[in-house]
Amino acid sequence: MEGLRLQSFVAFYITTPIYYVNDYPHIGHAYTTVVADVLRRYRQLFGEETLFLTGVDEHGQKVQAAAEKRGLPPQQHCDEMSQNFRDIWKELGVEPDRFIRTTDAFHKQGVQAALQQLWDAGEIYASEYEGWYAQADEIFYTEKDLVGGKAPTGAEVVRITEKNYFFRMSKYQERLIRHIQDNPEFIEPDFRRNEVLGFLKQPLNDLCISRPKSRLSWGIEIPFDRDYVTYVWFDALLNYATAVGYAQAEKAGEFEKFWNGNEACVYHLLGKDILTTHAVYWPTMLMALGLQLPRTLFAHGWWLTADNEKMSKSKGTVVRPLDVKNLVGVEPFRYFLLRDIRLGSDAQFSVPLVLTRVNSELANNLGNLLSRSLSLVGKYFDGKVPQPGDDPRTLDLARMAAATGSRVRDAVLSWEPQQALGHIIDLMTAANQYLADRAPWKQAKEDLPAAGETLYAALETLRIAGILLSPVMPQKAAELLKRVGWEKAVAYEDTLNWGGLEPGSPVVSGDPLFPRIELPEAQA
Ligand code: ME8
């Protein structure tokens, strides 16, 4: 209970990266965003105040080039593309509280306020710069960074000399190392923290935060030199703060609550590809601005192709989230994304893997338990929840069910949603086994109250599972709860005690909640 009380004081603010609008959202974007949506719904279920932010990164070379390719002015291109992201999140049942675009006026103003503050404080200086620039990465590399004449990412580089503005990032290196060492929850998982600490063994350079307009015009103007725009990463990282009121006088209270106060718990979820920018640029920017650092940066892994490769547009291996959603349904797809990968590790993505998971755990395990129980309750108990009982075997199942809520909660709070779902499925497996052992279809003919006890227990485990699954599959969970005769609003506390279902409440039968899905011919 101590944990529950502590957590409920926290203003849990979860963010996803803001995605580049140079292309349509793919499975990786959907992954981060669905996980964030689910984690926030769990925290809400546990009684915490939450705020969930996602959005789009609209400035910089990549986006300017994509707009040029379509023959559109960048703003029009961004208006259209950002709408695609919004639409897809809606289709995937993702409900962010806020959707930020870096072309939003309040964001631009916040970025300029930060730049001006750092310039006035001498944290930004002008210097002649010579280096290797990779357009694809939008990053400058030094000679020693190059691998075989190319960027470490494999991108082509060109030699560039120009005046630019620099943020004194190197000044904060020691303080950053200490912060990472003193706050183990700052970078998760552990092995990623060690990677960052390894990276910080090399001396940090100062960060070039400007681009001359002659080379790139699509960006936020530098307030103290109108010939320059802001480097896209400096602009983009600030979204997390501007979205909750940074540098907006009328939103000072909100900024205090979600970012800079004692109760704030800022949680950035991101892919491992962008950990360095988040773990090095961002905290040093915040230190220079005199702001609090986020509580946690969690770098999750990648979905790979069936051949264990990174999905690639040129090889045609990028998966479109809506294709999968249209095949299996939105909520089973969400379930798969949380269940088939350990947050932090890589995993393979393929349609057969989605079907295997959804069919075995949702259609066969949970779905069969539900349909068998409901049809027997219909047949022998007039469609009403029967009376409970206290056979030792029933009490074993009851104990397991009543412990599942806190197991799920512990797993979610330790960033193991895959395991949280595993606990729910273990409960379904145990309930199916219980049903098979007690065979209520036979009991009904010999001892009707014993059959009632068995079916009550089956419905009761389904009720608990329904509540605990609601953050992942809100609509299916609501339907499941209605079918087992549970009309109350979803509340975590109701999972902690056995015996919530009222005998006599009507159950509702219907089509299978999770029909089995077969692989379309073309993909078999
Ligand atoms: O990097 N598996 O945007 P982006 C899992 N605008 N997740 C994946 C993935 C995959 N195969 N591919 C992409 C940017 N992602 C910047 C971010 S934030 C201030 C600025 C997800 O459109 C993952 O979250 O390239 C990754 O970090 C993000 O998409 C990159 O999106």
Side-chain angles (χ1 to χ4, degrees), residues 224-268:
F224 43 85
D225 189 338
R226 305 272 143 157
D227 291 334
Y228 287 81
V229 295
T230 311
Y231 169 46
V232 67
W233 271 103
F234 189 93
D235 158 357
L237 288 162
L238 276 163
N239 92 86
Y240 301 129
T242 59
V244 287
Y246 169 69
Q248 296 149 72
E250 72 287 2
K251 292 198 177 152
E254 178 179 301
F255 187 63
E256 185 65 15
K257 174 170 180 181
F258 285 107
W259 195 279
N260 225 24
N262 291 335
E263 291 191 354
C265 174
V266 180
Y267 183 81
H268 295 317

Side-chain angles (χ1 to χ4, degrees), residues 258-483:
F258 285 107
W259 195 279
N260 225 24
N262 291 335
E263 291 191 354
C265 174
V266 180
Y267 183 81
H268 295 317
L269 185 66
L270 44 125
K272 63 181 182 179
D273 49 324
I274 53 173
L275 180 58
T276 308
T277 47
H278 282 76
V280 179
Y281 300 2
W282 183 222
T284 54
M285 285 164 65
L286 289 165
M287 285 172 183
L289 288 166
L291 297 175
Q292 210 161 277
L293 305 196
R295 172 84 61 97
T296 297
L297 311 171
F298 195 107
H300 67 64
W302 274 346
W303 286 103
L304 304 171
T305 66
D307 301 324
N308 262 330
E309 285 177 7
K310 203 182 168 202
M311 291 179 185
S312 136
K313 231 166 74 171
S314 53
K315 289 190 193 156
T317 50
V318 168
V319 179
R320 290 275 168 101
L322 292 189
D323 294 345
V324 188
K325 177 217 146 185
N326 292 339
L327 180 64
V328 300
V330 53
E331 296 195 347
F333 177 38
R334 286 166 62 97
Y335 178 84
F336 171 84
L337 289 176
L338 272 289
R339 177 71 174 128
D340 238 56
I341 190 170
R342 189 164 174 221
L343 198 61
S345 308
D346 294 345
Q348 288 178 349
F349 187 94
S350 75
V351 170
L353 285 171
V354 180
L355 297 192
T356 304
R357 178 67 72 179
V358 165
N359 284 338
S360 73
E361 293 187 350
L362 298 181
N364 295 354
N365 197 343
L366 193 162
N368 275 348
L369 179 66
L370 178 68
S371 54
R372 277 201 293 175
S373 309
L374 291 182
S375 83
L376 291 167
V377 169
K379 190 161 170 191
Y380 296 109
F381 296 92
D382 194 23
K384 303 222 165 62
V385 175
Q387 289 290 334
D390 57 4
D391 181 270
R393 187 75 174 76
T394 305
L395 295 183
D396 280 347
L397 183 66
R399 264 189 296 276
M400 179 178 183
T404 300
S406 54
R407 285 193 185 131
V408 167
R409 183 170 179 274
D410 289 348
V412 169
L413 296 186
S414 43
W415 315 117
E416 297 273 9
Q418 181 199 32
Q419 219 179 60
L421 297 181
H423 292 311
I424 302 171
I425 291 303
D426 288 348
L427 178 64
M428 297 295 91
T429 307
N432 268 313
Q433 188 60 51
Y434 166 88
L435 212 65
D437 292 349
R438 287 178 55 103
W441 46 92
K442 283 195 200 142
Q443 286 177 314
K445 294 179 185 133
E446 297 149 13
D447 180 355
L448 199 60
E453 171 174 354
T454 310
L455 293 170
Y456 181 91
L459 296 178
E460 186 59 5
T461 51
L462 283 160
R463 176 187 73 82
I464 289 174
I467 296 174
L468 294 171
L469 282 170
S470 63
V472 184
M473 302 190 284
Q475 289 175 22
K476 293 280 187 191
E479 176 64 21
L480 167 65
L481 290 169
K482 195 174 99 196
R483 290 198 188 182

Side-chain angles (χ1 to χ4, degrees), residues 3 22 36 49 74 140 143 159 253 302 323 330 358 367 456 490 518 524:
N22 58 339
E49 177 160 6
F140 272 102
E143 191 75 44
R159 188 88 181 148
W302 274 346
D323 294 345
V330 53
V358 165
Y456 181 91
V490 164
E518 302 304 332

Side-chain angles (χ1 to χ4, degrees), residues 51-66:
L51 187 74
F52 167 27
L53 170 75
T54 187
V56 282
D57 194 351
E58 301 194 320
H59 291 128
Q61 198 88 49
K62 271 188 211 182
V63 175
Q64 181 172 292

Side-chain angles (χ1 to χ4, degrees), residues 11-324:
F12 180 73
Y13 171 35
I14 186 165
T15 68
T16 72
I18 49 171
Y19 306 112
Y20 287 126
V21 291
N22 58 339
D23 208 345
Y24 290 92
H26 63 74
I27 200 90
H29 300 126
Y31 174 58
T32 318
T33 316
V34 167
V35 172
D37 183 70
V38 167
L39 290 175
R40 110 65 165 261
R41 287 178 195 255
Y42 269 118
R43 309 289 291 225
Q44 244 171 3
L45 183 67
F46 303 147
E48 288 175 46
E49 177 160 6
T50 63
L51 187 74
F52 167 27
L53 170 75
T54 187
V56 282
D57 194 351
E58 301 194 320
H59 291 128
Q61 198 88 49
K62 271 188 211 182
V63 175
Q64 181 172 292
E68 270 164 19
K69 208 167 148 201
R70 294 177 68 211
L72 291 179
Q75 188 65 54
Q76 189 185 337
H77 166 82
C78 290
D79 291 348
E80 290 177 17
M81 293 302 285
S82 67
Q83 193 57 42
N84 290 332
F85 280 84
R86 272 186 209 268
D87 293 347
I88 288 201
W89 302 155
K90 204 165 176 196
E91 293 221 36
L92 296 182
V94 169
E95 289 178 0
D97 297 299
R98 301 203 181 158
F99 184 96
I100 192 170
R101 302 178 54 184
T102 51
T103 53
D104 285 331
F106 68 85
H107 173 75
K108 292 192 208 169
Q109 182 205 313
V111 170
Q112 291 186 326
L115 287 164
Q116 190 67 52
Q117 181 188 329
L118 296 181
W119 175 249
D120 293 345
E123 297 280 346
I124 287 177
Y125 60 93
S127 173
E128 200 64 38
Y129 185 77
E130 200 180 346
W132 295 98
Y133 182 69
Q135 177 168 329
D137 302 344
E138 303 198 37
I139 283 179
F140 272 102
Y141 294 100
T142 61
E143 191 75 44
K144 66 177 188 325
D145 292 331
L146 300 190
V147 183
K150 290 191 175 177
T153 54
E156 297 294 336
V157 291
V158 286
R159 188 88 181 148
I160 281 183
T161 307
E162 64 191 20
K163 177 186 143 186
N164 262 312
Y165 291 91
F166 291 83
F167 162 51
R168 294 189 193 280
M169 187 161 76
S170 59
K171 180 174 148 187
Y172 294 96
Q173 178 161 9
E174 283 313 309
R175 197 171 141 197
L176 176 61
I177 293 172
R178 247 180 298 133
H179 184 83
I180 296 172
Q181 287 170 337
D182 293 348
N183 297 278
E185 78 285 5
F186 182 57
I187 300 173
E188 303 253 27
D190 284 6
F191 64 98
R192 298 280 173 217
R193 177 184 325 126
N194 293 333
E195 270 175 31
V196 175
L197 286 171
F199 172 83
L200 286 169
K201 287 199 172 113
Q202 307 274 345
L204 264 188
N205 294 318
D206 287 344
L207 182 66
C208 179
I209 52 93
S210 63
R211 296 292 181 264
K213 278 189 185 167
S214 54
R215 194 148 60 75
L216 172 72
S217 57
W218 184 236
I220 299 177
E221 206 168 68
I222 301 265
F224 43 85
D225 189 338
R226 305 272 143 157
D227 291 334
Y228 287 81
V229 295
T230 311
Y231 169 46
V232 67
W233 271 103
F234 189 93
D235 158 357
L237 288 162
L238 276 163
N239 92 86
Y240 301 129
T242 59
V244 287
Y246 169 69
Q248 296 149 72
E250 72 287 2
K251 292 198 177 152
E254 178 179 301
F255 187 63
E256 185 65 15
K257 174 170 180 181
F258 285 107
W259 195 279
N260 225 24
N262 291 335
E263 291 191 354
C265 174
V266 180
Y267 183 81
H268 295 317
L269 185 66
L270 44 125
K272 63 181 182 179
D273 49 324
I274 53 173
L275 180 58
T276 308
T277 47
H278 282 76
V280 179
Y281 300 2
W282 183 222
T284 54
M285 285 164 65
L286 289 165
M287 285 172 183
L289 288 166
L291 297 175
Q292 210 161 277
L293 305 196
R295 172 84 61 97
T296 297
L297 311 171
F298 195 107
H300 67 64
W302 274 346
W303 286 103
L304 304 171
T305 66
D307 301 324
N308 262 330
E309 285 177 7
K310 203 182 168 202
M311 291 179 185
S312 136
K313 231 166 74 171
S314 53
K315 289 190 193 156
T317 50
V318 168
V319 179
R320 290 275 168 101
L322 292 189
D323 294 345
V324 188

